[in-house]
Amino acid sequence: MKKIETKYLILGNSTAAISCVESIRSLDKEGSVSMVAAEKERAYSKPLISYLLCGSITPKQMYYRPRDFYENNRINALLGSEAMKIDAAHYMVTTATGEEITFERLLIATGGRPILPDIPGIRSEGVFTFFTWKDAENVRKFIQRRKVNHAVVVGGGLIGVKTLEALLKLGVKTDVVEKAPRILATILDDEAGRIVDKRLADDGVEIHCGTTVSKILAVDDLTYGVRLDNNREIECEMVVFAIGVRPDTRLAEEAGIKTGKGIIVSNRMETSFPGIYAAGDVTQSYDLTTGVARNIALFPSAYRQGKVAGINMAGGNMEYPGGIVMNSVSVCGLPIISVGDIQGEGMDTEIYSRLDEKSSIYKKVLVKNDRITGVLFVNQVDRVGIYTGMIKSGINVSEIRDMLLTEEFGVLTLPKEYRKYVISGVGIEI
């Protein structure tokens, strides 16, 4: 067992982890920093793996920090060395490659792990998840080797839709199976869902909603189709599961760190154990629009949480103000942005919407207690940044509610006390 002593230990190597390191180094230039991560690749952008798969970007464009980032920040980077146990009482972590690392401050930024159902045939050749760079490589190689013509994507969320787009660009006919009544169920309403369904149908995509895959059909462990729980069968050579990502809280739970739907953290990103912090997709943190703690697995939230954690780990004082759910996706060239609560449950929510069927333009703004709580824009997404800033700031819109979806809406229509805030740039950050 190789013993390592470090002041700061980071578990993970994605957005929150990198942000944390940069924040530590902004205050502490000398303290030793070690990093443990299961993937061998240096920091890359996971949202780009679908673009890598279809060839829209090169491998070099995947990285968001230079190759010498670890050296310049004096990080002892143990990449490809997965953490296996956190001993919170003795401030120690053991790894799969035989390291025993003692620390003064720890960040858990282990992100999430894709959900794979326990169904017959799930281990057959031709069945994949789509979450990492390695997943994208495996899918691309399989398509080339088997000359895949037809695929099934299980899951119609953001990862499923991006996977679908990549496969279509590769010329692979693709069906989508989604258990919910519509794809992108958490970010679309019925009206937006109909627009998206039409666009996908125009591109030859068949969507199977209200059902899921109950069995992988295979011969000699080679996939040839799927059976749905309504007994329908779809022939295909490849199946990609994108049914969700679960916060990877396993190490924290085993260490006795408090968890819920993610690791529970304070507004300083500290866990229930002093000196142990968590940030990113693995956490359960404050949601500005709902006022409750939840898992918000988004790149901007992970970055900000990592920054707060790093500042506090290095002896500074910073609080995480909370985040809001923000999703931006393009479905076959159809841009969609949703922010906050777009379902609008409750009698006290006012809903303003505008639909242009000919142009496939749909806009929806939700207001509660004179404050905007959510927006959903399809195929015309300019000015969303202004609405987002208003949600974050809780601006009273009682005097301008009739203008919220007019062409005249903009900075000049905003309440006077908010104009300078928006013009300065703070209010339009998304």
Side-chain angles (χ1 to χ4, degrees):
M1 184 73 71
K2 181 180 179 182
K3 296 185 182 296
I4 300 173
E5 294 183 3
T6 189
K7 184 173 183 179
Y8 307 103
L9 177 58
I10 316 294
L11 304 185
N13 184 33
S14 195
T15 313
I18 297 301
S19 177
C20 178
V21 168
E22 292 174 336
S23 294
I24 288 172
R25 283 294 179 235
S26 72
L27 296 180
D28 185 349
K29 307 294 184 184
E30 303 301 328
S32 56
V33 177
S34 295
M35 176 182 285
V36 174
E39 290 188 74
K40 294 181 179 180
E41 290 288 349
R42 68 183 195 272
Y44 68 91
S45 180
K46 282 190 175 181
L48 295 181
I49 62 172
S50 61
Y51 300 100
L52 180 69
L53 173 60
C54 66
S56 295
I57 65 171
T58 65
K60 186 177 180 180
Q61 292 173 297
M62 289 286 291
Y63 301 108
Y64 61 87
R65 290 296 182 269
R67 182 176 293 276
D68 58 2
F69 172 82
Y70 305 92
E71 180 181 359
N72 287 344
N73 285 280
R74 296 183 305 285
I75 303 169
N76 176 28
L78 305 174
L79 305 184
S81 179
E82 185 176 6
M84 299 302 292
K85 181 181 179 181
I86 298 172
D87 184 341
H90 296 93
Y91 288 74
M92 183 172 65
V93 166
T94 55
T95 72
T97 47
E99 289 85 11
E100 190 176 82
I101 308 171
T102 55
F103 59 85
E104 295 179 27
R105 297 286 184 270
L106 172 70
L107 177 77
I108 305 173
T110 47
R113 65 185 190 275
I115 299 170
L116 202 59
D118 184 16
I119 59 174
I122 194 68
R123 302 299 174 188
S124 301
E125 185 180 4
V127 178
F128 301 91
T129 56
F130 197 74
F131 189 62
T132 65
W133 190 325
K134 186 65 175 178
D135 290 337
E137 288 183 348
N138 290 339
V139 169
R140 177 180 54 80
K141 290 176 182 177
F142 186 81
I143 290 173
Q144 293 173 344
R145 178 166 59 85
R146 199 178 174 192
K147 296 180 173 55
V148 173
N149 293 309
H150 195 170
V152 169
V153 172
V154 187
L158 288 169
I159 296 175
V161 167
K162 298 310 296 181
T163 306
L164 164 67
E165 279 209 311
L167 294 175
L168 292 177
K169 288 180 180 178
L170 289 172
V172 178
K173 176 176 171 52
T174 307
D175 285 27
V176 178
V177 177
E178 170 55 53
K179 193 172 184 178
R182 58 176 177 270
I183 68 167
L184 297 173
T186 61
I187 70 171
L188 300 182
D189 62 8
D190 291 339
E191 199 65 68
R194 281 189 285 270
I195 294 173
V196 171
D197 286 350
K198 184 178 183 305
R199 178 60 62 93
L200 290 175
D202 289 344
D203 279 18
V205 178
E206 189 170 353
I207 303 171
H208 311 266
C209 288
T211 186
T212 191
V213 171
S214 60
K215 182 178 182 179
I216 305 296
L217 305 177
V219 173
D220 296 329
D221 288 330
L222 187 62
T223 300
Y224 71 84
V226 297
R227 179 176 299 150
L228 307 184
D229 60 6
N230 59 13
N231 289 323
R232 179 172 179 178
E233 294 185 358
I234 305 171
E235 292 185 4
C236 63
E237 299 91 10
M238 184 175 73
V239 183
V240 180
F241 278 90
I243 58 177
V245 176
R246 183 179 290 116
D248 195 354
T249 59
R250 291 172 295 179
L251 291 175
E253 289 171 2
E254 292 168 2
I257 295 169
K258 192 174 181 180
T259 63
K261 293 182 179 179
I263 298 175
I264 296 172
V265 293
S266 69
N267 54 12
R268 290 171 50 83
M269 306 312 298
E270 194 167 20
T271 71
S272 56
F273 272 75
I276 298 181
Y277 296 74
D281 296 0
V282 74
T283 65
Q284 175 180 310
S285 56
Y286 182 69
D287 184 338
L288 285 170
T289 54
T290 64
V292 299
R294 57 174 295 187
N295 177 249
I296 303 178
L298 297 171
F299 189 100
S301 296
Y303 184 85
R304 293 176 189 130
Q305 289 179 6
K307 179 179 180 178
V308 171
I311 292 294
N312 292 322
M313 289 168 70
N317 184 23
M318 181 178 283
E319 295 186 353
Y320 179 63
I324 58 176
V325 177
M326 298 181 289
N327 292 290
S328 176
V329 65
S330 174
V331 182
C332 297
L334 192 72
I336 301 168
I337 295 181
S338 73
V339 183
D341 174 21
I342 58 91
Q343 302 301 336
E345 296 181 3
M347 296 292 292
D348 53 352
T349 299
E350 303 169 63
I351 300 177
Y352 301 84
S353 63
R354 182 164 66 86
L355 172 66
D356 182 343
E357 293 189 24
K358 184 176 181 181
S359 302
S360 296
I361 294 173
Y362 177 62
K363 296 183 179 183
K364 177 181 178 180
V365 177
L366 297 95
V367 176
K368 184 175 182 178
N369 298 328
D370 295 327
R371 269 73 177 172
I372 298 176
T373 56
V375 295
L376 169 60
F377 283 21
V378 178
N379 208 27
Q380 192 178 77
V381 297
D382 56 320
R383 305 180 187 175
V384 170
I386 297 176
Y387 296 93
T388 302
M390 296 174 75
I391 293 173
K392 288 182 176 180
S393 305
I395 295 299
N396 189 307
V397 296
S398 58
E399 296 182 2
I400 61 169
R401 54 171 24 96
D402 293 337
M403 301 185 68
L404 289 175
L405 287 178
T406 64
E407 293 297 327
E408 293 78 21
F409 178 80
V411 173
L412 294 180
T413 64
L414 297 177
K416 187 180 298 184
E417 70 274 14
Y418 187 59
R419 291 178 199 165
K420 182 184 290 189
Y421 179 73
V422 176
I423 292 171
S424 71
V426 181
I428 60 174
E429 180 187 2
I430 61 173

